[in-house]
Amino acid sequence: MIYIFCAPSGSGKSTMVNHLLTCHPDLFELSISCTTRAPRGQEVHGREYYFVTVDEFRQRIANDEFIEFEQVYDGLYYGTLKTEIERIEQAGRQVLFDVDVKGGVNLKRILGDRATSIFICPPSIDELRRRLEGRGDTSPEMIEKRLAKAEEELSYRPQFDRVVINDDLQHAFRQLDAIIDRSASGVK
Ligand code: ADP
Ligand code: 5GP
């Protein structure tokens, strides 16, 4: 099974994905995307992302290396490499995708029943702002851009197989664990 995680930035997608990776390091592995944005904080090339220039990104588009790609924020490109699914499945693990809502809908359309798409929903826009500010690694200008986009992103929620409301963290983890258990036992 492949799991696609989507949410407005700051809703807790990374927190949910990291929960699965920490609890089941032998079961799951995160697909590493290409991006043209600069590394933040402690991010490392080849671990969180493959950080590339716009020219390199364009070359990879021309080489047909992406399953999907999006200009997620003004001038910043993000793309899923076809080779990531092969790399992770050959290692005997299940693929986790952390992508924007449009990328998630596209991946689900392409992967069909092989994938479960999961939308992580923030309790409110005010709480989303608090989390983005609290994370302390995104500039005030970028926070405003991400909040402006959140409203539109929330409208994609009905297109997903499952929704997790990330209010109380432990409750959200339990919701996610139940989704994974159901998928693993083949329940639709
Ligand atoms: P995303 O990957 O969706 O951008 P993160 O997982 O980085 O979001 O979460 C954004 C911030 O909110 C982080 O500082 C994270 O620790 C915090 N956070 C995540 N889930 C919760 C929660 N349920 N309650 C309070 N803070 C949370
Ligand atoms: P961030 O800059 O916070 O790491 O990510 C910004 C947004 O881009 C997030 O919503 C993240 O999920 C999304 N993203 C990361 N990789 C990809 C990708 O390969 N494709 C798409 N469509 N979105 C991605």
Side-chain angles (χ1 to χ4, degrees):
M1 185 49 81
I2 292 171
Y3 297 95
I4 303 164
F5 286 85
C6 295
S9 180
S11 305
K13 235 179 339 172
S14 311
T15 306
M16 293 299 130
V17 166
N18 286 335
H19 166 74
L20 290 184
L21 291 171
T22 307
C23 293
H24 310 283
D26 298 332
L27 265 189
F28 300 112
E29 194 165 338
L30 186 60
S31 164
I32 303 168
S33 294
C34 267
T35 182
T36 60
R37 86 150 161 75
R40 293 194 296 243
Q42 303 299 308
E43 289 180 337
V44 173
H45 177 79
R47 191 178 67 191
E48 282 79 12
Y49 283 106
Y50 301 111
F51 295 100
V52 299
T53 63
V54 174
D55 283 347
E56 280 175 74
F57 201 97
R58 288 204 179 111
Q59 189 56 54
R60 286 174 184 263
I61 296 171
N63 296 345
D64 196 24
E65 291 180 38
F66 294 115
I67 310 176
E68 62 78 37
F69 66 91
E70 294 287 338
Q71 190 178 349
V72 179
Y73 300 104
D74 292 343
L76 295 182
Y77 288 90
Y78 295 80
T80 306
L81 291 164
K82 291 179 178 170
T83 48
E84 283 298 288
I85 295 186
E86 289 156 31
R87 175 180 75 78
I88 294 169
E89 289 189 342
Q90 273 171 19
R93 298 197 178 91
Q94 300 179 44
V95 184
L96 306 182
F97 285 117
D98 171 341
V99 294
D100 87 312
V101 290
K102 286 184 192 155
V105 168
N106 284 333
L107 281 174
K108 173 66 190 179
R109 186 175 39 77
I110 294 161
L111 297 169
D113 284 347
R114 290 176 68 197
T116 298
S117 60
I118 305 170
F119 190 88
I120 310 297
C121 198
S124 67
I125 296 283
D126 284 349
E127 177 60 16
L128 195 58
R129 176 186 288 280
R130 274 192 288 279
R131 288 184 190 172
L132 281 171
E133 288 173 351
R135 202 167 61 183
D137 61 0
T138 309
S139 68
E141 188 200 347
M142 278 306 278
I143 288 179
E144 292 312 320
K145 276 191 183 166
R146 287 174 182 218
L147 287 171
K149 209 171 176 197
E151 211 81 54
E152 188 212 334
E153 291 170 321
L154 286 170
S155 71
Y156 282 75
R157 171 178 162 165
Q159 298 186 52
F160 284 77
D161 294 328
R162 303 273 179 259
V163 175
V164 172
I165 310 284
N166 182 20
D167 190 350
D168 173 73
L169 190 57
Q170 296 308 318
H171 184 236
F173 285 159
R174 284 197 297 276
Q175 287 179 70
L176 178 58
D177 292 342
I179 289 169
I180 301 293
D181 286 349
R182 283 177 58 177
S183 286
S185 58
V187 179
K188 283 274 165 212

